[in-house]
Amino acid sequence: MTAQDELFVFNGIDGSCGDYLLSPMDTEAVVGLAQGRKIDEVQQEAALRHESMLRDHFAPREDVDPKSIAQSGWGVVFAHDADPAVREALQPLLDHRKAEAASINPDRYREFWGAHAYRPKERKPAFLSRHKAPTSGPVDPDRMPYYLLIVGSPEKISCEFQAQLDLQYAVGRLHFDTLEEYDNYARSVIASERGEVAVARRLGMWGPRHDRATEMSSDGLIAGLDRYVRDKAPDWEVDVRVDAQGTKTELAKMLGGPETPAVLLTGSHGVGFPHGDPRQIPHQGALLCQEWAGRRGRVPPEVYFSGEDLGESARLAGLIAFLFACYGGGTPKHDAFFHAKGKRREIAPHAFFAGLPTRMLGHPHGGALAAVAHVERAWGCSFYEPKSGHQIAVFESFMKRLLDGHPVGSALDCFGNRYGELSSGLLEKLEELEYGGHISPTEIANDWTANNDARNYVVLGDPAVRVPVVDKEQAKERPTLDLGTPGARSGPSMAAAPEAASVAASEARASARANAAPPANAGSESTGSEATGSESGALESFGLFSKDPDDSSDDAKSSGLGQSLRSFASRLGSKISDAITDMSTLDVKTYVVSNADDMTVHRGKVEGAQLRAYTRINLDGDTTACLPQRDGEIDQTILEMHMRMVEQAQRTRVELLETLVRAATSLMSVGK
């Protein structure tokens, strides 16, 4: 065993100077930290949890399936002074969960709001007792739901409260700076659980190699999970990119790019910054990539991946990620581990969650479902022991449950088990050491670092989400969700960008009377686009009252203007809204053909021609556009022709709407 193997190393680089956030320590130094830290309420409860588990367990009671929200229950915990607008932005998700959780018993859905909300500095026992729920033992979902979503900043509702609550329940957290992000996340979850997101079973793992710490995460954690998943979950494809492939370019492909898997695990240094550095809040916890040369000096943003690297075009819908890195989940205001004379060092202006997972969850065109990450520093040595090598059983357990379809909160329960086991053993050993007992210093150091690591993993996102995977043959291209603006409650719509398409994922809201066509460039306010040209000719098609050409219903058998007018006339009164709905969506399609004789149109479906441009405009102005592209450039010839047809179709729709409304008004006045 080398001297290097006996050192305790930690995953974190100071972005202001390039040094380690925490230098490697020998056993004596780590034991000194362990003895200097005061045992707190969370650690004491973790030890009690382990002792109780010898007789019982902390999952839902035996007759409750944690995979079933209806059986396990779901609740949301707000701060006592939470903004009502935040609750309103989350209302689609709350309604969605209520429909599930209250289906067996209404008490299995709970909203802790107003007088029932979390109160400042409230501890877990007080919170549970106030709501007449047991403070230990198996979860009874009729008294307190198993899945609990905390909504609020770590300043309003502390991470210590979350960690303590998580020892008994499956807990997640949401906190965003804007209402739009809450709205985006809520409707992203709904879209995923309604089947609009269906991805193949693929696990991606990424990690660079810079030093001893990243060597352990690459060779131990990632390589070990690779072997485990291939053996225990053979129906899952595994995509591993480490060492030379641990670059920012490769991570961009796997995190929001075209190769984003269903589940992503990263293992790297997290970038940290000293208190007062302007990059601390936006970039702390960013993932250090292989491009970093390892030299001292300011670490440039070009060598790490932060939330700002997730652009508008990122596709994250349906993703669950595990980010193993220092501060990858968040940062407390005070140092969680180092104590001098009872004082805690301030390391940040306030507690905050990391920018990368926050951006992932609140992305404007479909957020990730959840991110599991570390608050405070991550201790890479926690899954490596000099005597026994790599110990990753808790990570294996998490991954197995997640890939087997457990909600992420249930999958992470094994970390609570591990924390309880370690806390119980560590408390006994520290007491023995304090009174002169003979305990191996290395044993104390190993237990202390592993204990710290196991405690600080959190779920950011709804703990009840699970990966929306299907068989490879049924998988859909990961969509870009057009979520619209905050407050729009119509539910998410999708515009999946075709292959070789130039995509701009944003929204276009305009009056249905607008005569101007959508902007004709790839960065315009439109979503999803495709097109090229043909010298031999083009066919233009637009369905004024667009029906699905594959719909065989009676309404679809006679599509277009005649059907809508007949529907309008026959359903006057209670059915008038149906007629207007018929024209709520305007589709304009441009095709190219080499030989017009080969082209046919059957029931609105064009055959023998190639679709090269497409625009859909909803009545409220929401627009989806596929922009024509040839050799990587916008094909102006096809685009100009297509835009002229869009303008004509818009004008025609406005005129028809006005005519129909006037006719309806006249007919109703006659009938009075």
Side-chain angles (χ1 to χ4, degrees):
M1 183 184 302
T2 67
Q4 184 185 40
D5 289 330
E6 295 178 341
L7 290 176
F8 289 79
V9 295
F10 312 94
N11 287 62
I13 297 296
D14 188 329
S16 67
C17 63
D19 286 339
Y20 288 105
L21 285 171
L22 193 61
S23 299
M25 295 182 181
D26 59 22
T27 300
E28 183 179 352
V30 175
V31 172
L33 288 176
Q35 290 180 295
R37 173 167 169 75
K38 181 180 178 181
I39 302 304
D40 62 20
E41 184 179 352
V42 181
Q43 196 165 14
Q44 290 173 341
E45 178 160 338
L48 291 174
R49 169 192 170 119
H50 175 66
E51 295 171 8
S52 298
M53 284 185 64
L54 300 178
R55 307 181 303 272
D56 239 325
H57 63 86
F58 275 70
R61 65 190 190 209
E62 285 295 340
D63 62 321
V64 173
D65 181 2
K67 286 186 177 182
S68 169
I69 308 303
Q71 293 189 38
S72 298
W74 189 92
V76 57
V77 181
F78 292 94
H80 77 289
D81 57 352
D83 186 348
V86 170
R87 187 185 188 189
E88 181 184 356
L90 285 175
Q91 198 61 53
L93 177 59
L94 305 187
D95 293 341
H96 177 68
R97 287 286 180 244
K98 184 176 183 179
E100 296 177 291
S103 59
I104 295 176
N105 184 340
D107 291 337
R108 295 188 182 182
Y109 174 80
R110 302 282 296 277
E111 289 187 27
F112 299 98
W113 173 264
H116 301 288
Y118 173 84
R119 297 173 181 175
K121 298 183 180 180
E122 193 168 31
R123 306 298 295 173
K124 170 205 163 184
F127 175 80
L128 293 177
S129 296
R130 184 159 58 89
H131 295 290
K132 297 179 172 52
T135 59
S136 63
V139 173
D140 181 354
D142 294 329
R143 300 175 69 184
M144 178 65 67
Y146 175 58
Y147 292 102
L148 294 172
L149 174 63
I150 295 174
V151 178
S153 74
E155 289 288 288
K156 293 285 187 180
I157 304 178
S158 71
C159 287
E160 286 77 13
F161 173 77
Q162 181 173 349
Q164 195 176 16
L165 194 63
D166 200 37
L167 286 169
Q168 189 174 0
Y169 297 87
V171 184
R173 170 84 71 135
L174 279 183
H175 174 63
F176 299 112
D177 291 332
T178 68
L179 296 176
E180 182 177 7
E181 290 170 294
Y182 284 106
D183 188 83
N184 291 343
Y185 180 77
R187 291 194 280 153
S188 294
V189 171
I190 294 169
S192 176
E193 298 191 0
R194 287 181 176 171
E196 297 177 31
V197 182
V199 293
R201 292 181 177 86
R202 190 160 66 90
L203 165 65
M205 293 190 281
W206 171 93
R209 181 188 293 263
H210 297 119
D211 48 23
R212 177 63 174 153
T214 49
E215 176 185 307
M216 288 194 299
S217 58
S218 178
D219 295 347
L221 180 60
I222 293 177
L225 285 174
D226 182 18
R227 292 189 296 269
Y228 178 83
V229 171
R230 292 180 191 275
D231 178 46
K232 302 298 183 181
D235 55 336
W236 278 75
E237 176 187 348
V238 183
D239 179 7
V240 177
R241 304 183 194 188
V242 294
D243 303 345
Q245 286 189 299
T247 62
K248 187 171 183 176
T249 300
E250 290 300 313
L251 181 56
K253 295 177 183 177
M254 303 178 79
L255 186 53
E259 297 161 33
T260 302
V263 176
L264 174 66
L265 180 138
T266 68
S268 69
H269 280 300
V271 182
F273 298 90
H275 189 345
D277 192 298
R279 289 194 287 169
Q280 186 184 51
I281 301 298
H283 291 179
Q284 185 125 312
L287 308 182
L288 192 64
C289 304
Q290 189 64 36
E291 288 90 342
W292 182 55
R295 294 189 296 267
R296 294 194 62 180
R298 181 180 183 272
V299 179
E302 291 76 20
V303 302
Y304 60 75
F305 198 100
S306 71
E308 294 177 1
D309 291 302
L310 284 175
E312 290 290 302
S313 62
R315 295 196 210 172
L316 299 159
L319 172 67
I320 293 181
F322 194 118
L323 310 176
F324 179 82
C326 265
Y327 301 118
T331 302
K333 181 177 181 178
H334 295 97
D335 193 314
F337 301 129
F338 291 85
H339 296 253
K341 298 180 181 180
K343 296 181 179 179
R344 300 180 64 186
R345 182 169 61 99
E346 191 172 285
I347 60 175
H350 56 80
F352 62 92
F353 292 117
L356 178 56
T358 300
R359 171 67 171 172
M360 289 167 57
L361 299 181
H363 195 275
H365 297 291
L369 295 176
V372 178
H374 207 274
V375 173
E376 246 282 359
R377 282 153 289 196
W379 308 70
C381 48
S382 66
F383 52 79
Y384 177 84
E385 295 180 6
K387 291 183 179 180
S388 53
H390 293 103
Q391 302 293 318
I392 64 168
V394 66
F395 291 90
E396 292 172 342
S397 297
F398 166 81
M399 196 62 69
K400 182 66 165 62
R401 287 173 72 89
L402 187 67
L403 302 190
D404 281 350
H406 275 262
V408 64
S410 172
L412 196 67
D413 186 62
C414 54
F415 277 84
N417 296 341
R418 172 70 169 156
Y419 180 52
E421 176 187 353
L422 290 167
S423 291
S424 178
L426 179 61
L427 292 181
E428 291 178 4
K429 291 170 185 175
L430 287 174
E431 183 177 354
E432 186 74 13
L433 195 64
E434 181 180 358
Y435 291 99
H438 298 287
I439 303 294
S440 163
T442 300
E443 191 175 351
I444 291 283
N446 284 334
D447 284 4
W448 189 77
T449 55
N451 180 265
N452 284 330
D453 185 69
R455 165 176 174 151
N456 290 298
Y457 287 100
V458 296
V459 174
L460 298 178
D462 182 350
V465 297
R466 68 193 83 202
V467 285
V469 292
V470 295
D471 293 337
K472 193 171 184 178
E473 299 76 20
Q474 300 172 316
K476 304 175 184 177
E477 184 178 11
R478 180 176 259 106
T480 296
L481 302 181
D482 182 14
L483 300 179
T485 58
R489 303 296 180 215
S490 57
S493 60
M494 296 192 303
E499 294 181 3
S502 174
V503 180
S506 60
E507 57 178 335
R509 287 198 177 272
S511 168
R513 294 176 176 270
N515 291 328
N521 59 74
S524 65
E525 293 186 337
S526 58
T527 54
S529 190
E530 164 187 47
T532 62
S534 170
E535 297 179 356
S536 58
L539 168 70
E540 300 288 350
S541 166
F542 57 87
L544 295 176
F545 309 142
S546 302
K547 297 287 188 179
D548 184 350
D550 295 325
D551 186 357
S552 60
S553 66
D554 291 338
D555 285 344
K557 290 179 180 179
S558 179
S559 61
L561 176 62
Q563 168 62 15
S564 290
L565 288 173
R566 286 193 295 272
S567 174
F568 175 82
S570 63
R571 300 176 184 179
L572 185 62
S574 63
K575 297 297 184 180
I576 190 170
S577 61
D578 292 345
I580 301 300
T581 301
D582 284 347
M583 64 181 70
S584 63
T585 302
L586 172 68
D587 284 346
V588 182
K589 302 176 183 178
T590 299
Y591 296 81
V592 295
V593 292
S594 299
N595 186 343
D597 293 336
D598 297 333
M599 185 271 297
T600 61
V601 180
H602 178 62
R603 294 177 54 204
K605 185 174 183 179
V606 178
E607 298 178 347
Q610 187 175 9
L611 178 65
R612 308 307 284 170
Y614 171 78
T615 297
R616 165 170 286 189
I617 305 174
N618 292 336
L619 194 59
D620 64 355
D622 281 351
T623 300
T624 299
C626 293
L627 307 180
Q629 187 182 71
R630 174 188 283 174
D631 299 329
E633 300 292 333
I634 298 298
D635 188 324
Q636 294 297 330
T637 302
I638 294 295
L639 180 61
E640 290 173 5
M641 181 182 297
H642 180 72
M643 290 298 100
R644 287 197 298 271
M645 300 305 295
V646 170
E647 292 177 9
Q648 179 182 332
Q650 286 179 296
R651 287 194 296 270
T652 303
R653 177 166 65 171
V654 169
E655 293 169 0
L656 286 169
L657 279 168
E658 291 175 341
T659 300
L660 290 172
V661 170
R662 284 196 300 268
T665 303
S666 299
L667 287 171
M668 285 187 289
S669 65
V670 170
K672 288 183 178 180

